[in-house]
Amino acid sequence: MNRDPVTRELFNDVMVPNYAPGAMIPVRGEGSRLWDQNDREYVDFAGGIAVNSLGHAHPGLIGALHEQAEKLWHVSNVLTNEPALRLARSLKELTFAERVFFANSGAEANEAAFKLARRHSWLKHGPEKHEIIAFTNSFHGRTLFTVSVGGQPKYLEGFEPAPGGIHHATYNDLDSVRALISKEKTCAVVVEPIQGEGGVLPADPEFLKGLRSLCNDHDALLVFDEVQSGAGRTGYLYAYQHYGVTPDILTSAKGLGGGFPVAAMLTTDAVAQSFGVGTHGSTYGGNPLACAVAQKVIDTISQPDILKGIRARSDKLRKGMMAIGEKHRIFTHVRGEGLLLGCVLTEEWKGRAKDFVAAAQEEGLLVLVAGGDVVRLAPSLIIPEHDIEEGLERFEKAVATLTK
Ligand SMILES: Cc1ncc(COP(=O)(O)O)c(C=O)c1O
């Protein structure tokens, strides 16, 4: 077996080429800092795309994982397990949920949500009422169903035929939903309270309220995809709590495990009953290791002082980025909620978000794109103030290399 050191070049030889990872390979992390193979240090404003909610190597998460690893790793769903039951009970206490289904990724939680919505409608109204209304520029995952519900045709290219009965309306435009919704055919409306991949675009509160009443009027379920906006990201445990609009189904993943793969679909008792025994499942869903880690994440981020701290950090980061944006005339504005922020590039810089990511990496800072025109930030929810300051300094240096 070849034991030569691994390099970035090896990626091109051994991996399926569906990703284009950056030049460095991180090997170690602590808090909001990462180190690469050459021991070069980076400030992390990317957070593994809104996943490392408590940063890297959080002692509480390490402790929870170790403790569970010594007890029980896996039993499948032929048996239940204590960490899964505890986590479901906590999510029930902290949200609208009366029932929880566990999965391993955002796409899987959404797949479960869409299947549940279809089946609920099928049982209640028959097969005609199966249509799903989603939104252009949204993102719900990469399985064939979720990528079809997501409103970005480029991700479906070459994978058709797609599942049918899916329509796309325009985000933040209730009239476009009114034009598509029908009592006879629509089973669900699926929406991200903040479009993440689509450019960190928050929903207008009136839009979400309007969707709630349209769903009520047309006997359709309202599904919130909170894979990116959930688990404390907005300064609320879930963004629906910030908006004051309660869905019938909500999906959570990414930050829920703080870096350990875990996802959840939350719903009401009445809707949950449409998934009887044997209708849906997942070998790993509710895995004890994943649930023990997620429990620690939820216990930590649901503390009022942590949630308040997210809003304070958000203010600092938003103001810092906007100041750099104005000084160098690169951003029109910074949008988003909490620690999910999108810095929108000016006309002159449109399409060049990737250049900012590369320049920032050169200066020892990790940031993300959201489409071509938005630099996205999704750092740890407990990022220390001095890391925010240091990251902002590095970002300004990176901007200077591009604008000089
Ligand atoms: C809103 C939203 N839904 C679903 C997904 C898919 O999650 P996963 O990549 O864990 O399948 C993502 C991932 O970016 C997302 O942002």
Side-chain angles (χ1 to χ4, degrees):
M1 204 83 80
N2 188 338
R3 300 281 179 217
D4 289 349
V6 295
T7 61
R8 171 61 182 82
E9 286 68 46
L10 189 58
F11 181 94
N12 301 337
D13 289 340
V14 297
M15 304 293 269
V16 171
N18 61 316
Y19 300 119
M24 66 89 172
I25 300 184
V27 292
R28 185 164 64 84
E30 199 183 316
S32 287
R33 306 261 171 163
L34 275 177
W35 286 265
D36 70 12
Q37 291 175 306
N38 301 317
D39 217 25
R40 180 159 186 226
E41 173 253 357
Y42 299 81
V43 173
D44 187 1
F45 279 2
I49 320 188
V51 167
N52 298 103
S53 43
L54 298 178
H56 301 280
H58 186 277
L61 299 194
I62 294 174
L65 185 61
H66 274 175
E67 198 184 322
Q68 187 57 41
E70 285 173 2
K71 286 191 199 157
L72 186 70
W73 284 34
H74 180 77
V75 285
S76 91
N77 290 298
V78 171
L79 301 167
T80 189
N81 68 78
E82 289 182 353
L85 293 174
R86 276 192 214 107
L87 180 60
R89 184 174 60 192
S90 297
L91 289 167
K92 197 171 155 167
E93 277 167 16
L94 292 164
T95 69
F96 77 97
E98 294 165 328
R99 300 274 173 170
V100 179
F101 170 82
F102 289 119
N104 313 289
S105 66
E108 275 182 65
N110 282 332
E111 184 84 18
F114 307 159
K115 281 180 72 181
L116 178 61
R118 281 245 169 113
R119 196 171 162 90
H120 184 68
S121 190
W122 180 75
L123 288 170
K124 218 170 141 195
H125 306 281
E128 277 297 298
K129 194 171 160 66
H130 67 266
E131 290 187 359
I132 292 174
I133 298 176
F135 295 91
T136 48
N137 219 25
S138 57
F139 186 79
H140 301 298
R142 299 290 197 138
T143 64
L144 198 52
F145 197 0
T146 56
V147 89
S148 308
V149 174
Q152 304 195 46
K154 65 180 180 206
Y155 293 139
L156 245 188
E157 210 174 278
F159 299 116
E160 286 107 343
I166 300 163
H167 302 287
H168 292 97
T170 305
Y171 198 67
N172 277 334
D173 176 356
L174 273 181
D175 283 339
S176 72
V177 182
R178 282 190 197 101
L180 291 171
I181 201 163
S182 97
K183 204 161 191 160
E184 293 70 39
K185 291 196 166 165
T186 309
C187 79
V189 175
V190 177
V191 67
E192 294 166 85
I194 300 175
Q195 282 191 333
E197 300 304 303
V200 191
L201 186 61
D204 299 332
E206 289 316 309
F207 174 63
L208 292 187
K209 286 185 188 130
L211 289 183
R212 180 67 276 176
S213 47
L214 280 174
C215 283
N216 293 349
D217 293 347
H218 293 84
D219 222 344
L221 297 180
L222 181 60
V223 181
F224 279 3
D225 177 345
E226 291 227 31
V227 167
Q228 192 154 161
S229 64
R233 187 61 36 202
T234 61
Y236 295 79
L237 191 56
Y238 287 97
Y240 86 87
Q241 294 162 328
H242 162 63
Y243 281 103
V245 178
T246 304
D248 302 292
I249 303 177
L250 180 151
T251 54
S252 180
K254 287 191 180 278
L256 180 62
F260 203 99
V262 60
M265 177 188 72
L266 316 182
T267 190
T268 61
D269 198 24
V271 175
Q273 298 311 323
S274 299
F275 262 0
V277 174
T279 48
H280 190 66
S282 156
T283 296
Y284 289 118
N287 171 278
L289 293 169
C291 291
V293 175
Q295 182 75 54
K296 190 71 192 177
V297 171
I298 287 291
D299 286 348
T300 309
I301 60 178
S302 60
Q303 300 301 319
D305 57 326
I306 297 276
L307 293 171
K308 223 169 110 191
I310 294 166
R311 300 195 275 268
R313 286 169 173 82
S314 171
D315 250 22
K316 191 174 176 74
L317 191 54
R318 188 192 291 264
K319 283 187 185 134
M321 288 302 276
M322 203 52 231
I324 296 169
E326 274 170 2
K327 186 168 155 197
H328 296 273
R329 296 201 193 90
I330 50 169
F331 301 141
T332 58
H333 62 297
V334 178
R335 66 191 181 201
E337 288 294 332
L339 287 171
L340 182 57
L341 296 177
C343 311
V344 184
L345 292 171
T346 56
E347 202 57 44
E348 189 190 341
W349 292 93
K350 260 192 178 0
R352 293 193 57 190
K354 270 193 183 140
D355 297 347
F356 287 88
V357 173
Q361 200 162 311
E362 282 293 309
E363 296 303 323
L365 172 71
L366 302 180
V367 297
L368 301 160
V369 300
D373 306 333
V374 175
V375 175
R376 175 173 36 157
L377 311 177
S380 156
L381 304 179
I382 54 168
I383 182 170
E385 250 187 61
H386 60 88
D387 283 353
I388 296 181
E389 285 156 12
E390 176 103 33
L392 287 168
E393 274 171 32
R394 292 183 191 188
F395 189 71
E396 181 150 23
K397 279 192 197 148
V399 171
T401 65
L402 290 174
T403 55
K404 72 172 181 249

